[in-house]
Amino acid sequence: MANIAENDLPLYRRLWIYQSERIPLLKTSILLAVFSAASINVSAFLSGRDLPGYAAYATAFIVSLVLFIQLRACDEYKDGPDDMKYRPERPIPRGLVSLKTVLTIGWALVPVALIATFLYHPPLLLLLGLVWFWLALMTVEFFVPEWLKARALLYLVSHMAIMPLLDLFVTGAEWVPAAGEPAPALSLFLALSFMNGCVLEIGRKIFAPENEREGVDTYSKLWGINKAIIIWMGSILLSFLLLCTVGLAMGFVTPVAAAGGIMAFFCLRAASAMAEEPSAKHRDRLDLVSGLWVFVCYFAAGFIPLIVTFVRSVL
């Protein structure tokens, strides 16, 4: 049932409630600041170049934030029918804001990304267009929605491909102006971004039995909870191996692997707890460590080399 008092609030207050539920801007901004800055740093480390100026970091952050807001808007459009039927508590189905309003905001942010990219380095517009092209295909489920949804693994791969494409743009803020082409080892970092996307996606869709809902697709329902947890753990381990190879390529494998190894240990403990006692509490913990894993990966790859280099220079 719609919350009449809530839905009568001014639009700016309703949008504030919407963002807090669907894409918390403060938390998202912090994560994207780390993600974008780390990606630029890794690109420079892998190429043996000095870090770029502030404009590269600002452009990558602004465009990343725009793209994540647009990704949420596209999800609202794509999942709209299912949300109306099975998730009436979400902001759009309960009437807090309209789908038209959310999509209008998404479209209104297009010139923001275009102008920021053009002012920094116009050739980057090609990579931005590539991300938008893939996002558009995702929104229409690659024109085969029923066929794709029936193939969960292919669905996962096709949608998580947006992560390395986004990272290609973000790292491009460093390598396009500097060299015109990325360092060969950057492909390892893009693969890491893909696997991190899988960790997040699978981790947030492993539910305890009491949390499963009709019409809501989860990997625990599709594969069974134990198999879903094993696949998630495998994603963590593969992501960890990729993080180590990136650290090796940059010449900082020991500290990078140490940071990743500690976080991987906590991730596997959370997975084991969920397998032993599937519950809402352990499900929330699994979702939390999924996000922390991604944060630690980017921090380790993008900032630990800076910290180690500074400490060495002091000592």
Side-chain angles (χ1 to χ4, degrees), residues 20-229:
S20 68
E21 294 183 18
R22 300 296 284 153
I23 181 169
L25 289 178
L26 178 60
K27 175 183 175 181
T28 301
S29 295
I30 293 172
L31 291 174
L32 289 178
V34 173
F35 161 75
S36 57
S39 297
I40 289 174
N41 291 351
V42 169
S43 180
F45 296 153
L46 290 174
S47 302
R49 290 188 289 264
D50 292 335
L51 298 179
Y54 293 118
Y57 294 94
T59 302
F61 170 73
I62 291 169
V63 175
S64 294
L65 183 58
V66 166
L67 288 170
F68 265 74
I69 294 172
Q70 292 175 332
L71 183 60
R72 171 54 65 204
C74 290
D75 281 344
E76 300 284 21
Y77 171 81
K78 176 171 60 71
D79 299 335
D82 286 342
D83 286 348
M84 292 296 293
K85 187 175 181 180
Y86 300 112
R87 294 171 285 236
E89 75 282 357
R90 284 187 170 179
I92 292 177
R94 75 173 190 258
L96 177 68
V97 294
S98 69
L99 177 61
K100 180 180 179 181
T101 297
V102 173
L103 293 177
T104 298
I105 292 172
W107 280 109
L109 290 173
V110 168
V112 175
L114 286 174
I115 292 171
T117 304
F118 180 81
L119 290 178
Y120 173 63
H121 194 65
L124 269 177
L125 290 170
L126 180 62
L127 296 181
L128 177 59
L130 182 61
V131 180
W132 273 335
F133 174 71
W134 199 262
L135 179 57
L137 290 178
M138 287 171 53
T139 304
V140 296
E141 303 286 23
F142 300 88
F143 302 103
V144 286
E146 298 304 322
W147 182 88
L148 193 59
K149 286 182 179 180
R151 295 159 175 80
L153 187 58
L154 184 58
Y155 185 95
L156 176 67
V157 170
S158 64
H159 283 64
M160 288 306 100
I162 193 77
M163 293 304 296
L165 289 176
L166 171 59
D167 220 355
L168 186 64
F169 170 86
V170 172
T171 58
E174 189 279 330
W175 61 261
V176 172
E181 61 181 25
L186 189 66
S187 59
L188 297 170
F189 187 66
L190 299 182
L192 175 63
S193 291
F194 172 79
M195 287 310 307
N196 280 343
C198 292
V199 168
L200 284 173
E201 180 68 5
I202 297 173
R204 75 184 185 90
K205 290 185 178 180
I206 296 178
F207 283 16
E210 66 263 29
N211 297 131
E212 298 283 9
R213 296 172 60 178
E214 180 187 0
V216 178
D217 294 327
T218 64
Y219 293 107
S220 47
K221 183 189 298 183
L222 177 67
W223 294 328
I225 191 165
N226 288 332
K227 184 177 179 180
I229 290 172

